[in-house]
Amino acid sequence: MKCHHPAHSTLPPMPSGRASGLVRRLLLTAVVPLLLTACAGTLLPKPTPPPARFTLDAGTAAPTPTAQVTTADAPALTVDLPRAAPGYDSRRMVYQRRPQQLEAFAFHEWVEPPAQMLAPLLVRALQDGGGFRAVLRAPSAAAGGWRLETELLRLHQDFSQRPSQVRLSVRAVLLNSSTRQAVAWREFDVSVAAASEDPVAGAAAAQVAAQQLLTEVAAFCAEQVRAAAAARTPVRPR
C-alpha cells in the first residue's frame, strides 16, 4: 500500500507574508464600510426635531363689550405696530424660575414675536368693541383722528409658584393724531394659571390672558372716546 505524504497533497499553498497582508487589507476595505453603515444609526447624532410653534390667537373672538355704540361722528383709530421690551422681542417662548432672570424653552416657540401677533388681535378687538368709526392698522394711507401705541412689557410663564402663572403686560397710549399729544394711557397686567407645568399649558394660558387683556384695552379706548365726546358736547341751558 502506498501512502501519500502531505507534501504531495493537492491543497493550495499558503499565501506568503506579503500576500497575506494584501488579503487582510482587501478584507478590511470590504468589511469596514459595512460595519460603519450598520452602526450609523446608533453612532451618528440624530437630527434635532423642529420646535413646536404656538400663536396667541385662540381662534375665538374676544367678548364684545355691550355698552359701546358706534356713532356716525365717532373718530377713526390707527393702531401702530406694538413694540416689545428687551427679552420679549423674538419668537422665543420664555419663562422664569427666579426673579429678573428669563430663560427660553428649547423646543417650543411662538409663530411670530408676540408683539407682532398682538397687532391684528388689537385691531379686531377694537373693531368689535365699538366706539370708533373705523380701526386702521398702521401704516395706512387713511388718517385716523386718534392713534394707539402699545408696548409689550412682559409675556412669560412663571414657575416660581404653583401652579405656574402666565403673565402678560401691555402699556397702551392714546394720542391725538393731529397734535401728537397723549390723551390717556394705562398699563394692563393679566395673570392666568397654567393647567400644568409645561410650555403647552403655558401657551394655552397665554391665549386666555391675551383675550382678557384685549377686552380691557378695547374698553379703555372706548371709554376715552365717550369722555372726549362728552367734553365737546355743549351743555344746554334749562
Side-chain angles (χ1 to χ4, degrees):
M1 178 181 292
K2 295 182 179 180
C3 296
H4 293 281
H5 194 274
H8 301 286
S9 66
T10 58
L11 293 175
M14 295 297 292
S16 63
R18 180 177 301 178
S20 63
L22 178 61
V23 172
R24 284 196 297 269
R25 287 196 296 272
L26 291 174
L27 288 174
L28 288 174
T29 303
V31 172
V32 169
L34 295 176
L35 292 175
L36 291 177
T37 302
C39 299
T42 57
L43 295 179
L44 297 178
K46 295 182 179 180
T48 303
R53 294 187 172 93
F54 300 87
T55 177
L56 284 177
D57 188 0
T60 57
T64 302
T66 57
Q68 312 307 326
V69 178
T70 304
T71 60
D73 59 346
L77 174 68
T78 301
V79 180
D80 284 356
L81 180 67
R83 299 185 301 274
Y88 303 97
D89 52 357
S90 71
R91 295 194 304 183
R92 298 186 310 163
M93 188 179 291
V94 298
Y95 63 94
Q96 276 191 348
R97 290 182 294 180
R98 289 172 288 274
Q100 310 303 323
Q101 181 177 346
L102 291 179
E103 301 176 77
F105 292 110
F107 304 109
H108 300 78
E109 64 181 26
W110 299 112
V111 173
E112 292 182 324
Q116 294 183 22
M117 290 192 291
L118 281 175
L121 302 180
L122 274 170
V123 171
R124 186 174 69 190
L126 290 161
Q127 287 173 336
D128 295 342
F132 294 97
R133 183 179 71 257
V135 180
L136 313 170
R137 184 174 172 181
S140 173
W146 289 31
R147 180 175 293 271
L148 176 65
E149 294 183 353
T150 53
E151 181 180 7
L152 176 66
L153 302 178
R154 59 187 65 86
L155 174 58
H156 61 254
Q157 189 171 1
D158 186 359
F159 288 103
S160 65
Q161 51 187 322
R162 291 292 184 272
S164 61
Q165 300 280 325
V166 170
R167 187 178 179 187
L168 172 61
S169 302
V170 169
R171 179 185 294 115
V173 181
L174 271 173
L175 302 110
N176 184 310
S177 295
S178 302
T179 63
R180 298 296 298 174
Q181 292 182 342
V183 177
W185 74 275
R186 185 175 298 176
E187 186 172 312
F188 301 87
D189 187 82
V190 177
S191 293
V192 175
S196 56
E197 309 307 307
D198 57 79
V200 176
Q207 293 172 351
V208 175
Q211 288 200 11
Q212 293 182 11
L213 184 138
L214 292 169
T215 301
E216 294 180 11
V217 172
F220 162 72
C221 294
E223 176 187 347
Q224 299 305 315
V225 170
R226 292 198 308 271
R232 292 194 305 269
T233 303
V235 178
R236 296 180 180 180
R238 296 184 179 181

